[in-house]
C-alpha cells in the first residue's frame, strides 16, 4: 500500500467517525459506511448483512453498487457451506479470491448475477461479542485482498459494532417514547370523553329537577366540570401531556361560556389580550376554573338586556403571569367580598383556587363593573 492509499483510508475513517456523530439513523450510517469503505478500497460493491432472528439468514441491510430490489429485501441463508457462516463461526475475516473456482463455499445467486468474482467477509460484533452480521466487500474483477486491506476492514467493523449498538438503543428509546406519547394521548382522550359524559349526566339531571335553585346549582357544577374537559381537550390537541398554550385555552373557554349563556341577556362583546405562552397543566386547571367562575358570574348577574363587555388580559414574564378579568356591568356591592346575588360560592371558590396557585388575588375598583387581578407563577411548563 502506498502513502496515498493509506491517507485515503485514514480520511475515510475520520469522515465516518464524524458522520456517525451527526446521525441517529442506522440505515443512513450503514449506507454511508458501505459507500466510504467501497471508496477506500476502490471496490465495485459493498454491503452490510444483518443476522435475522433465529440466526439462519441475513438481510442485506445496506449497500452500494447493487441493483434495485437487493438492499433491504434480499436475504442470504446461512447454508453449511457459505462463507458468511464460516466467517461468523470462526469470528474472523474470510477471503474468496475467485468465487467461480472456490471449492470451500457455496455462494448466493444474486452475487453471481452481479458478476462478483472476488469478495471478503468481515464479521461485525456488538459489545459483548454478540454477532450483528457481516461487512462484505465485493469486486467484479479478480482481486487479492491483502493483509492491509483485511486490517482496514477489521478496524472498520470494530468501529461499526459499538455504533450499531448505540443506534439500536436510540431506536428502542424512540419507540418507547412514541408508545408512551401515544398511550398518554389515548388516556387524555378517554379522560376528556369521560368528563364529557359526567357533564352530560349533570345537565340531564338539571333539566329533570323541579327546583329552579337546584337547577341553577347543577348547571353551575356542570360548567365547572366542563372547564376540566376543556383543559384535557387542549392537552390532547397539543400532544404535550404536561403543558398547553394559554391563549387558545382561555379564549375558547370564555367564548364557550358566552355561547352557553347567550339566552340570558344582551349581546356580550369579548376583548382578549392574552400572552402567547405555554403554562403547566396543573396551573391551567385552577386558572381555568377561576376564569369560569368570574365570567359565568358576569354573564348571569352583571349585565341587563343591553349587554356589555368582558375583557381577558394576561401579561407574562419568564416565570410569572398577571391575569386580569374585567366586566363593565353592575359591579360588586361596596363590601370587599360581598357578591352579586347567587355568586357567593363562586367568589369563595376563586379565593381558594388563588390560594392553591400561591397567587396574589386583588379586586381593584374600576370606574364601572368588576375587575379581578391575579399574579401567579407559570409553573413548570
Amino acid at each position: 500500500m502506498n502513502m496515498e492509499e493509506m491517507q485515503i483510508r485514514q480520511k475515510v475513517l475520520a469522515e465516518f467517525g464524524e458522520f456517525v456523530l451527526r446521525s441517529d439513523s442506522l440505515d443512513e450510517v450503514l449506507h454511508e459506511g458501505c459507500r466510504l469503505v467501497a471508496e477506500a478500497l476502490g471496490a465495485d460493491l459493498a454491503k452490510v448483512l444483518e443476522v435475522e432472528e433465529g440466526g439462519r439468514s441475513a438481510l442485506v441491510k445496506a449497500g452500494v453498487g447493487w441493483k434495485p430490489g437487493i438492499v433491504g429485501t434480499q436475504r442470504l441463508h446461512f447454508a453449511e457451506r457459505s462463507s458468511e457462516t464460516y466467517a461468523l463461526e470462526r469470528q474472523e475475516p474470510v477471503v474468496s479470491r475467485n468465487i467461480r473456482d472456490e471449492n470451500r463455499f457455496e455462494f448466493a445467486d444474486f452475487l453471481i448475477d452481479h458478476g462478483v468474482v472476488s469478495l471478503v467477509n468481515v464479521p461485525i460484533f456488538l459489545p459483548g461479542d454478540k454477532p450483528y452480521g457481516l461487512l462484505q466487500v465485493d469486486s467484479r474483477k479478480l482481486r487479492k485482498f491483502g493483509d492491509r486491506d483485511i486490517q482496514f476492514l477489521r478496524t472498520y467493523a470494530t468501529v461499526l459494532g459499538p455504533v450499531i449498538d448505540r443506534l439500536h438503543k436510540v431506536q428502542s428509546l424512540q419507540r418507547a417514547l412514541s408508545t408512551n406519547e401515544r398511550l398518554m394521548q389515548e388516556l387524555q382522550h378517554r379522560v376528556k370523553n369521560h368528563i364529557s359524559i359526567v357533564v352530560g349526566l349533570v345537565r340531564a339531571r338539571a333539566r329533570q329537577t323541579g327546583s329552579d335553585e337546584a337547577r341553577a346549582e347543577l348547571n353551575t357544577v356542570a360548567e365547572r366540570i366542563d372547564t376540566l374537559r376543556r383543559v384535557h381537550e387542549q392537552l390532547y390537541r397539543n400532544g404535550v401531556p404536561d403543558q398547553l398554550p394559554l391563549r387558545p385555552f382561555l379564549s375558547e373557554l370564555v367564548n364557550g361560556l358566552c355561547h352557553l349563556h347567550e339566552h340570558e341577556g344582551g349581546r356580550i362583546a369579548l376583548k382578549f389580550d392574552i400572552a402567547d405562552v405555554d403554562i403547566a397543566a396543573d396551573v391551567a386547571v385552577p386558572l381555568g376554573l377561576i376564569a369560569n367562575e368570574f365570567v359565568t358570574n358576569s354573564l348571569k348577574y352583571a349585565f341587563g338586556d343591553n349587554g356589555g363587555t368582558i375583557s381577558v388580559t394576561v401579561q407574562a414574564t419568564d416565570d410569572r403571569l398577571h391575569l386580569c378579568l374585567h366586566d363593565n356591568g353592575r359591579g360588586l356591592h361596596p363590601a370587599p367580598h360581598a357578591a352579586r346575588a347567587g355568586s357567593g360560592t363562586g367568589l369563595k371558590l376563586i379565593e381558594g383556587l388563588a390560594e392553591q396557585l400561591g397567587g396574589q388575588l386583588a379586586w381593584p375598583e374600576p370606574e364601572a363593573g368588576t375587575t379581578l387581578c391575579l399574579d401567579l407563577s407559570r409553573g413548570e411548563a
Side-chain angles (χ1 to χ4, degrees):
M1 181 191 303
N2 58 38
M3 183 62 68
E4 182 180 356
E5 289 177 332
M6 185 178 297
Q7 289 175 345
I8 290 174
R9 295 181 183 186
Q10 290 175 344
K11 178 175 175 289
V12 161
L13 286 171
E15 286 182 7
F16 185 64
E18 292 173 358
F19 184 84
V20 300
L21 292 175
R22 297 193 305 268
S23 177
D24 284 336
S25 168
L26 179 59
D27 289 341
E28 288 181 0
V29 166
L30 293 181
H31 175 81
E32 184 67 4
C34 290
R35 187 189 71 80
L36 287 171
V37 80
E39 176 186 316
L41 269 66
D44 304 302
L45 306 158
K47 62 182 176 292
V48 170
L49 298 170
E50 181 184 65
V51 176
E52 296 187 298
E53 188 174 354
R56 297 181 179 180
S57 62
L59 173 70
V60 181
K61 183 70 173 177
V64 292
W66 303 96
K67 297 176 183 178
I70 297 297
V71 176
T73 303
Q74 181 67 52
R75 284 171 169 78
L76 187 150
H77 295 282
F78 288 139
E80 183 178 348
R81 295 185 59 225
S82 76
S83 62
E84 294 80 13
T85 302
Y86 188 85
L88 285 173
E89 289 179 350
R90 293 292 186 94
Q91 299 188 11
E92 62 183 31
V94 174
V95 177
S96 292
R97 187 177 182 187
N98 189 340
I99 68 173
R100 296 166 186 173
D101 296 334
E102 178 68 73
N103 295 320
R104 296 175 299 166
F105 308 119
E106 297 174 350
F107 299 93
D109 291 340
F110 79 93
L111 296 176
I112 298 171
D113 292 342
H114 278 77
V116 172
V117 176
S118 302
L119 63 81
V120 55
N121 281 298
V122 181
I124 301 171
F125 292 94
L126 305 178
D129 290 334
K130 180 181 178 181
Y132 168 77
L134 299 124
L135 172 63
Q136 194 173 81
V137 179
D138 309 87
S139 173
R140 292 191 176 97
K141 298 178 181 179
L142 191 65
R143 175 170 180 170
K144 180 181 179 181
F145 290 99
D147 290 342
R148 291 183 177 179
D149 295 329
I150 301 302
Q151 289 305 315
F152 169 73
L153 292 173
R154 293 186 75 164
T155 301
Y156 210 82
T158 301
V159 172
L160 270 174
V163 170
I164 293 169
D165 184 61
R166 176 182 70 84
L167 294 177
H168 275 170
K169 291 175 180 176
V170 169
Q171 289 179 342
S172 295
L173 289 173
Q174 289 173 339
R175 284 194 297 269
L177 178 60
S178 178
T179 298
N180 287 339
E181 289 177 347
R182 177 178 54 80
L183 292 174
M184 181 60 71
Q185 289 184 355
E186 289 178 1
L187 176 60
Q188 290 167 352
H189 186 59
R190 289 180 183 179
V191 168
K192 179 177 73 73
N193 287 342
H194 291 165
I195 294 174
S196 295
I197 292 172
V198 174
V199 172
L201 291 173
V202 174
R203 286 181 174 157
R205 186 69 184 98
R207 289 191 297 271
Q208 294 168 0
T209 185
S211 166
D212 291 341
E213 184 178 354
R215 185 182 303 109
E217 286 298 324
L218 285 170
N219 282 326
T220 298
V221 170
E223 289 170 12
R224 290 167 182 163
I225 298 173
D226 196 52
T227 298
L228 300 178
R229 179 192 63 79
R230 293 176 187 275
V231 171
H232 283 280
E233 186 174 35
Q234 288 281 353
L235 290 171
Y236 175 71
R237 186 186 307 166
N238 196 40
V240 181
D242 59 353
Q243 58 181 301
L244 78 168
L246 179 61
R247 182 187 294 170
F249 168 58
L250 282 181
S251 60
E252 289 179 19
L253 172 63
V254 175
N255 273 301
L257 290 171
C258 287
H259 178 72
L260 186 65
H261 293 274
E262 61 184 356
H263 62 283
E264 296 181 7
R267 180 177 176 80
I268 304 300
L270 298 177
K271 292 184 178 180
F272 297 111
D273 184 10
I274 303 172
D276 188 14
V277 295
D278 291 344
I279 59 171
D282 57 359
V283 172
V285 173
L287 192 65
L289 288 171
I290 289 172
N292 177 81
E293 293 304 316
F294 183 93
V295 173
T296 299
N297 197 53
S298 296
L299 292 169
K300 287 182 176 180
Y301 308 114
F303 308 113
D305 294 337
N306 293 329
T309 300
I310 295 176
S311 302
V312 182
T313 302
V314 181
Q315 297 174 336
T317 61
D318 290 342
D319 59 349
R320 306 290 296 178
L321 291 176
H322 186 70
L323 166 72
C324 277
L325 302 168
H326 174 73
D327 71 52
N328 64 349
R330 297 189 178 99
L332 294 173
H333 294 290
H337 293 283
R340 303 184 184 103
S343 63
T345 302
L347 290 176
K348 289 178 182 178
L349 180 58
I350 288 174
E351 291 177 349
L353 291 167
E355 184 177 352
Q356 176 184 327
L357 287 169
Q360 298 177 356
L361 180 65
W363 297 88
E365 296 184 6
E367 293 182 2
T370 304
T371 300
L372 176 156
C373 290
L374 180 64
D375 186 79
L376 69 153
S377 169
R378 287 170 57 177
E380 299 295 328

